[in-house]
Amino acid sequence: GAVVSQHPSRVICKSGTSVKIECRSLDFQATTMFWYRQFPKKSLMLMATSNEGSKATYEQGVEKDKFLINHASLTLSTLTVTSAHPEDSSFYICSALRTGRNTEAFFGQGTRLTVV
Amino acid sequence: QKEVEQDPGPLSVPEGAIVSLNCTYSNSAFQYFMWYRQYSRKGPELLMYTYSSGNKEDGRFTAQVDKSSKYISLFIRDSQPSDSATYLCAMTSQGAQKLVFGQGTRLTINP
């Protein structure tokens, strides 16, 4: 299957600082990438849809100024958690959409963010 | 009513058993159906992808789609402890970008 690389896999940061998470599609170009948040033993919660060359589309209730998304190229999208608080601690996962004859979504390995 | 319903489990079965995981959906526009496996603290991994009613087999895994009943299933034969994970169904419609996920079913295969 296609490969999506997410980095870092784990990060611990202090309250008030910002953290950037990268999502790369390694063997295909992705016009669209998605950012999810996942709480323990819960399903994926879509935060935003990232479109290359345009502004991200945020889901209701997700603060766009807090979760900054940049999709500067067809293989890279970044999520920056700004002014992190302990309640932002979570598992963040990206996915990249591979389109063609079939449309398939491939996921990164996830990033465990802990804000202390 | 949620667009996609999936029993969260947990489901615990002995090694070698046949496992049946199911999802129902309400949106008749859904045409593409996926099953993902997610190990603890990892991203979901695409297992099966189908877009028509009927069965699709890949090794010990069989994905079944019944569009008339809006029901999809994933069967695991000869289940192994390494199959222990959370299984998520996902689906989308023609031209749509977003996937709609089920809640995920936690599966444990006991040796």
Side-chain angles (χ1 to χ4, degrees):
Chain A
V3 180
V4 175
S5 176
Q6 187 173 340
H7 178 81
S9 58
R10 300 174 67 94
V11 59
I12 300 173
C13 71
K14 292 184 178 180
S15 289
T17 62
S18 295
V19 173
K20 180 185 283 188
I21 303 170
E22 293 187 348
C23 181
R24 295 181 185 272
S25 56
L26 298 185
D27 53 359
F28 66 99
Q29 292 184 329
T31 305
T32 304
M33 293 186 178
F34 303 95
W35 287 96
Y36 296 86
R37 185 172 179 175
Q38 188 175 35
F39 293 101
K41 301 182 182 180
K42 298 292 184 183
S43 190
L44 302 168
M45 183 188 79
L46 181 64
M47 297 174 65
T49 302
S50 169
N51 296 296
E52 187 269 337
S54 63
K55 291 183 178 180
T57 303
Y58 290 82
E59 296 298 301
Q60 191 173 9
V62 178
E63 298 176 61
K64 62 180 181 181
D65 294 330
K66 179 164 187 63
F67 299 99
L68 299 179
I69 291 172
N70 184 284
H71 194 153
S73 77
L74 287 171
T75 59
L76 174 64
S77 176
T78 61
L79 168 69
T80 301
V81 182
T82 63
S83 187
H85 288 171
E87 55 263 32
D88 298 326
S89 299
S90 191
F91 193 56
Y92 293 88
I93 309 174
C94 72
S95 78
L97 206 63
R98 185 175 72 179
T99 56
R101 186 164 180 264
N102 298 320
T103 298
E104 299 172 84
F106 296 92
F107 286 82
Q109 306 94 317
T111 298
R112 170 76 55 191
L113 170 64
T114 303
V115 184
V116 297
Chain B
Q1 181 189 10
K2 291 182 179 178
E3 276 192 291
V4 179
E5 296 276 3
Q6 182 178 5
D7 187 341
L11 181 62
S12 181
V13 301
E15 184 175 356
I18 296 175
V19 177
S20 173
L21 304 168
N22 311 296
C23 288
T24 58
Y25 61 96
S26 58
N27 189 344
S28 58
F30 288 146
Q31 295 184 19
Y32 303 98
F33 306 91
M34 287 138 277
W35 284 96
Y36 288 88
R37 177 176 62 195
Q38 185 178 23
Y39 291 113
S40 180
R41 301 184 181 183
K42 299 289 184 183
E45 168 195 11
L46 181 63
L47 271 181
M48 300 286 285
Y49 178 100
T50 58
Y51 54 86
S52 59
S53 284
N55 294 350
K56 180 178 181 180
E57 191 173 315
D58 184 1
R60 297 185 294 110
F61 298 90
T62 299
Q64 186 176 80
V65 174
D66 183 347
K67 289 187 178 180
S68 62
S69 301
K70 298 190 181 67
Y71 187 91
I72 67 170
S73 299
L74 177 70
F75 297 97
I76 307 174
R77 291 186 301 280
D78 188 25
S79 55
Q80 305 293 312
S82 58
D83 295 328
S84 298
T86 296
Y87 290 80
L88 297 137
C89 66
M91 47 199 80
T92 189
S93 54
Q94 177 74 32
Q97 294 183 329
K98 297 179 188 178
L99 295 183
V100 181
F101 284 91
Q103 300 93 310
T105 300
R106 290 182 61 205
L107 172 67
T108 301
I109 309 298
N110 301 303

